[in-house]
Amino acid sequence: MQERHDAPLAPLTTFRLGGPATRLITAVTDAEVVEAVREADRTATPLLIIGGGSNLVISDKGFHGTALRIATTGFDLQGARLELAAGENWSDAVARTVDAGLAGVECLAGIPGSAGATPIQNVGAYGQDVSQTITEVVAYDRHTDETVTLTNAECAFTYRHSRFKQDPARYVVLRVRFELEDAGGLSAPIRYAETARTLGVEQGDRVPALQARETVLKLRAGKGMVLDPEDHDTWSAGSFFTNPILTAAEHEAFLARVTERLGPDVMPPAFPAGDGMVKTSAAWLIDKAGFTKGYGEGRARISGKHTLALTNRGSATTEDLLALAREVRDGVHAAFGVTLVNEPVTVGVAL
């Protein structure tokens, strides 16, 4: 276990933003993770868990406490059953499952971050999310001081949400278990319209898993969603806002605002979200509210490739980023009456 003091945190995040931590511990085994968490809890020291750093917005003042970087390794594939240590690189793990001829996470290729973060956010893209394949999550329960195994149902997955996100101070994910599918080298059924269109197939069709993965990587790269240190459009946390889920009444009010602003012939994206709820597109809202690709004059701007990504152009501060995020959020609300919610976790700051 490595320990540093007054350690910079910005290099550990994909935004490359944020001040230092009073203390930074890097744990390479589950036991070290648990030991570090127990020590912080025993001494009432504020604790920040860092995996791949792809979903963090850290204050310019840094973090006054212990930052714990989880760098555990472990990729155990038995048939179609996969167990990943929390510190495993997620995109690399996806590539290895595809190389093994297995389906289930191939459309989650290129998503930055660590495996341990995937159940927290219920990471998803291009018609897949991890709740479809996760069977169990092994975590340290800070309330009971024991390691527990939670089933898929106990994780309480919903859209970009989970039991872990609901109660972030309780669980520290150690391992994630998946049940993938051996479809003879084919992908899971292609569910996302853009992916199917790019592949030249119908939604519900299967294609070679490798082809699905490569297609998703190209789509993501075209939107600046594959990390590239030379491309400031990728100095982001991916999608900064989640897609709003509206009640039937909220959706009707939203449609009225759309008609008022854009005319009666414009219909925004709408997808059933269960229980009479409707999901619409944050990217559409942002664009139609006037925040187009590349928007901004300062050191933080909307990506030139995707309206959902807010980016650090190389010398931004966290406050620069938050000022842009607030401008976008407030502008969308003024235009359409919908309040966007940030997807990244904020540390020492609030939107």
Side-chain angles (χ1 to χ4, degrees):
M1 187 155 52
Q2 299 176 357
E3 181 175 333
R4 298 172 60 196
H5 293 268
D6 196 29
L9 294 180
L12 301 181
T13 74
T14 53
F15 266 125
R16 295 169 170 81
L17 296 175
T22 307
R23 181 183 183 219
L24 172 65
I25 292 175
T26 299
V28 296
T29 68
D30 291 354
E32 289 181 354
V33 172
V34 172
E35 177 187 345
V37 175
R38 279 179 174 154
E39 180 195 18
D41 290 346
R42 184 174 63 252
T43 58
T45 302
L47 181 67
L48 171 64
I49 305 295
I50 300 178
S54 59
N55 204 41
L56 287 177
V57 178
I58 299 173
S59 165
D60 291 317
K61 295 180 180 179
F63 183 72
H64 184 67
T66 295
L68 171 60
R69 178 172 171 261
I70 298 179
T72 54
T73 57
F75 179 100
D76 183 23
L77 185 61
Q78 303 291 333
R81 295 182 177 179
L82 172 66
E83 179 179 286
L84 295 176
E88 280 288 330
N89 179 281
W90 172 251
S91 189
D92 290 347
V94 170
R96 293 176 71 178
T97 67
V98 171
D99 288 343
L102 298 174
V105 294
E106 62 281 358
C107 291
L108 303 179
I111 293 177
S114 62
T118 60
I120 298 172
Q121 194 74 8
N122 188 16
V123 164
Y126 295 97
Q128 289 182 345
D129 60 56
V130 292
S131 68
Q132 297 165 346
T133 49
I134 287 177
T135 56
E136 294 177 328
V137 175
V138 180
Y140 173 64
D141 186 337
R142 298 170 69 180
H143 288 188
T144 63
D145 188 24
E146 62 182 351
T147 298
V148 297
T149 300
L150 302 175
T151 65
N152 181 290
E154 290 171 329
C155 292
F157 290 120
T158 56
Y159 172 69
R160 301 297 175 268
H161 203 70
S162 69
R163 179 176 185 173
F164 311 105
K165 190 173 181 180
Q166 179 69 31
D167 195 357
R170 178 166 183 176
Y171 297 101
V172 179
V173 175
L174 301 175
R175 299 195 167 259
V176 189
R177 294 170 180 156
F178 302 81
E179 181 73 35
L180 303 176
E181 179 187 6
D182 186 348
L186 295 179
S187 69
I190 301 298
R191 302 297 184 194
Y192 198 68
E194 183 184 18
T195 315
R197 185 169 58 251
T198 304
L199 286 163
V201 301
E202 298 295 323
Q203 287 178 257
D205 287 351
R206 294 176 184 261
V207 300
L210 179 60
Q211 184 183 6
R213 174 179 174 270
E214 290 176 343
T215 297
V216 166
L217 285 174
K218 289 178 182 177
L219 288 171
R220 290 185 63 85
K223 299 172 182 178
M225 297 293 187
V226 177
L227 295 181
D228 179 352
E230 303 302 318
D231 182 359
H232 288 293
D233 276 337
T234 74
W235 288 33
S236 74
S239 299
F240 194 88
F241 297 103
T242 58
N243 290 323
I245 296 179
L246 309 175
T247 65
E250 289 169 340
H251 188 239
E252 285 300 317
F254 166 54
L255 291 179
R257 296 287 287 271
V258 171
T259 297
E260 178 184 340
R261 183 179 178 90
L262 303 175
D265 297 329
V266 176
M267 287 299 295
F271 309 93
D275 297 325
M277 309 286 277
V278 179
K279 180 168 69 174
T280 191
S281 166
W284 187 93
L285 287 164
I286 293 167
D287 182 71
K288 298 304 181 184
F291 303 101
T292 54
K293 295 174 184 177
Y295 177 87
E297 300 292 335
R299 297 176 294 183
R301 303 177 195 172
I302 291 177
S303 166
K305 300 183 179 72
H306 199 292
T307 51
L308 261 184
L310 308 187
T311 66
N312 170 10
R313 306 316 294 183
S315 59
T317 65
T318 299
E319 281 305 312
D320 292 332
L321 175 76
L322 292 175
L324 175 62
R326 292 175 187 126
E327 182 184 1
V328 172
R329 179 199 60 190
D330 295 346
V332 166
H333 187 270
F336 298 112
V338 176
T339 300
L340 295 178
V341 176
N342 53 291
E343 187 166 333
V345 175
T346 54
V347 179
V349 292
L351 190 58

